[in-house]
Amino acid sequence: METKAYNPYKNMIAVLEEAAGKLGLKPEEYETLKYPERELTVSIPVKMDDGTLKVFEGYRVQHNSARGPYKGGIRYHQNANPDEVKALAAWMSFKCAVVNIPYGGAKGGIKVDPSKLSRDELIRLTRRYTTRILPLIGPDQDIPAPDVNTNGEVMGWIMDTYSMFKGHSVPGVVTGKPVEIGGSIGRSEATGRGVTIITEKCLTDLGMDPQKQTYAVQGMGNVGGTAAKILYDEGKKVIAVSDWSGGVMNREGLDIPKILEFLSDRNRCLKDYEVEDAVHITNEELLTCNCDVLIPAALENQITEENAGAIQAKVIVEAANGPTTVEADKILEKRGILVVPDILANAGGVVVSYFEWVQNIQSMAWDLEEVNNTLKKIMMKAYKDVREMSREKDTTMRMGAYMVAIDRITTAGKMRGGPISMA
């Protein structure tokens, strides 16, 4: 069967229109949410280690600023493209609104396979990209953060480049920095921790004992790896995990710390992981394996109309952005599989990014207990708001989350006068 071309931006608009319709909004009340407020495409010339010049394409998209400064990650990926970045920027707007923090959404990306670049080439690429997007970013304007294939070190390079141009240190220009230069304790684990908080609450809500369920995690990067480790530390049974190369499975439960230690060498991947009692599986087999809770924590477009009918999990908690297509959503709904949407489930990262930004602005540092307790409080409140909306409107949790977000963003727009009053 030929797979239909997936466009994440069209996917986002389809869900937006359905949610706005269920809220009873007129098209003019939410039309602006279909379009980013600002899009920038940049060319990034980089001198490679061998002396040649290579030009990379980069993006920064600012979706909506009705509720505050733009906020969103920067990803380095060979398949990055404008439609993907536009969709991710919109999801950030909705995500910030769901957890009710005072940000709008943005996203950035560079079309590059970072594994093919040396560290020095990556530094030069990052610094030049920062100079290209410099007019758009700032602690009061647009605050980038790590995303796929970027990390705290990359954020340090961006902060340093921005600060050089400003003539003084500006730690608040990015979040997800190393703690030593103004980052927040608990930030690197925040997205994965938020996923586990929401998973536990959701299962308890459904009358399922979280300790007795089996878990499968697709993606063992920062988010999936952290979520799997927390689940393991809490005594839960993680039976399958995967990365880009494939996965491993053990019905009795995997030794997650051992797997993470193996993967800590960046040159290793799970296809090379050998352990007794575990079998190698493909990513497709992980998604459709016999488990209670499936946590897709890789890239978008993983659960599609081709495989949604074969999924055996009772609950799907979206740790990645956009892992489920619109068509797959309908199939899962018909089959009675509960999907906890990305804009709720993986919002822990942006929540603690917000804490980091607040600490930078106030020149203060919170301790880990304060960070984790406040994160849990915000995530539990967001879950309650979404669950109540989905029950009140008799719809899915994804629709509930979008309705909460759209309601907050459009209300903020109206209170500011909105685009209609400027006609």
Side-chain angles (χ1 to χ4, degrees):
M1 187 190 292
E2 193 181 328
T3 305
K4 201 190 298 181
Y6 171 75
N7 184 316
Y9 185 58
K10 286 182 178 169
N11 201 79
M12 179 278 294
I13 287 176
V15 181
L16 165 67
E17 288 186 325
E18 188 181 343
K22 287 181 188 291
L23 274 172
L25 295 178
K26 297 176 192 151
E28 61 265 25
E29 291 180 279
Y30 65 88
E31 191 69 17
T32 56
L33 296 182
K34 293 183 189 175
Y35 306 93
E37 292 175 356
R38 193 179 282 120
E39 291 178 62
L40 181 67
T41 301
V42 297
S43 58
I44 312 159
V46 177
K47 190 177 182 184
M48 308 305 280
D49 291 343
D50 63 6
T52 60
L53 185 79
K54 213 166 171 190
V55 180
F56 298 88
E57 187 166 274
Y59 318 98
R60 186 69 182 171
V61 174
Q62 297 174 330
H63 176 256
N64 186 277
S65 58
R67 301 183 73 255
Y70 305 103
K71 184 87 191 76
I74 292 170
R75 61 174 52 186
Y76 291 176
H77 198 274
Q78 59 273 24
N79 297 330
N81 64 73
D83 277 343
E84 177 191 63
V85 178
K86 277 159 65 175
L88 289 161
W91 286 328
M92 281 303 300
S93 292
F94 303 141
K95 197 180 296 186
C96 293
V98 165
V99 289
N100 212 8
I101 55 175
Y103 284 141
K107 208 75 178 187
I110 301 176
K111 197 177 181 69
V112 60
D113 181 350
S115 67
K116 304 264 169 61
L117 271 60
S118 70
R119 187 170 180 276
D120 285 346
E121 287 168 342
L122 278 174
I123 292 173
R124 292 195 288 274
L125 175 76
T126 302
R127 288 190 183 280
R128 182 54 65 105
Y129 171 69
T130 305
T131 66
R132 292 291 200 244
I133 66 167
L134 199 86
L136 300 193
I137 62 173
D140 303 316
Q141 285 172 265
D142 180 354
I143 306 106
D147 197 74
V148 176
N149 293 330
T150 59
N151 56 19
E153 187 176 39
V154 174
M155 293 307 108
W157 302 336
I158 293 174
M159 173 198 150
D160 184 62
T161 309
Y162 183 87
S163 299
M164 282 163 62
F165 275 83
K166 293 296 173 184
H168 58 94
S169 187
V170 189
V173 67
V174 288
T175 58
K177 304 178 293 295
V179 173
E180 294 82 358
I181 53 171
S184 175
I185 289 173
R187 169 61 188 90
S188 61
E189 307 88 41
T191 310
R193 184 173 296 280
V195 168
T196 63
I197 290 167
I198 292 293
T199 302
E200 177 117 1
K201 175 64 180 159
C202 177
L203 292 173
T204 307
D205 227 19
L206 293 169
M208 296 165 70
D209 181 349
Q211 294 302 125
K212 291 181 179 167
Q213 311 309 315
T214 54
Y215 300 80
V217 181
Q218 184 205 26
M220 283 295 277
N222 178 45
V223 179
T226 301
K229 172 79 163 56
I230 292 171
L231 291 169
Y232 176 90
D233 288 346
E234 290 172 347
K236 299 181 174 80
K237 195 185 281 188
V238 182
I239 61 163
V241 298
S242 69
D243 63 11
W244 64 270
S245 70
V248 288
M249 182 175 192
N250 180 351
R251 299 289 327 164
E252 299 308 308
L254 293 162
D255 186 336
I256 299 301
K258 193 173 170 186
I259 290 172
L260 289 171
E261 188 185 341
F262 174 82
L263 292 175
S264 64
D265 180 341
R266 293 249 169 159
N267 297 315
R268 291 176 180 163
C269 53
L270 280 174
K271 72 178 170 60
D272 304 318
Y273 182 74
E274 292 300 336
V275 65
E276 285 177 33
D277 304 327
V279 294
H280 283 271
I281 56 172
T282 64
N283 263 295
E284 192 60 32
E285 287 169 331
L286 180 135
L287 291 170
T288 57
C289 77
N290 182 8
C291 65
D292 299 306
V293 183
L294 172 64
I295 301 176
L299 290 168
E300 55 268 10
N301 192 29
Q302 299 300 304
I303 300 170
T304 64
E305 61 185 326
E306 278 80 37
N307 62 12
I311 283 175
Q312 298 183 65
K314 300 180 186 78
V315 177
I316 297 171
V317 183
E318 295 184 335
N321 290 313
T324 311
T325 66
V326 171
E327 297 81 9
D329 245 348
K330 305 290 181 207
I331 296 166
L332 296 169
E333 185 184 355
K334 272 186 194 150
R335 295 186 59 218
I337 297 170
L338 180 75
V339 180
V340 184
D342 48 4
I343 60 171
L344 169 63
N346 71 23
V350 77
V351 170
V352 179
S353 272
Y354 169 60
F355 300 164
E356 181 178 330
W357 180 70
V358 169
Q359 291 170 75
N360 290 161
I361 287 170
Q362 296 181 338
S363 299
M364 285 178 67
W366 301 0
D367 62 27
L368 185 59
E369 188 181 7
E370 185 172 3
V371 168
N372 286 344
N373 287 347
T374 316
L375 168 65
K376 185 167 187 178
K377 188 172 151 191
I378 287 176
M379 294 300 286
M380 296 290 262
K381 172 73 168 68
Y383 178 88
K384 180 171 169 283
D385 293 345
V386 169
R387 202 77 180 115
E388 282 176 0
M389 178 69 87
S390 66
R391 281 175 176 152
E392 183 193 322
K393 301 288 186 182
D394 191 24
T395 188
T396 63
M397 281 196 75
R398 187 182 313 283
M399 279 297 125
Y402 268 76
M403 289 159 85
V404 167
I406 293 162
D407 183 49
R408 285 175 179 162
I409 296 168
T410 53
T411 300
K414 283 174 197 163
M415 288 179 166
R416 292 177 57 152
I420 297 167
S421 66
M422 294 169 71

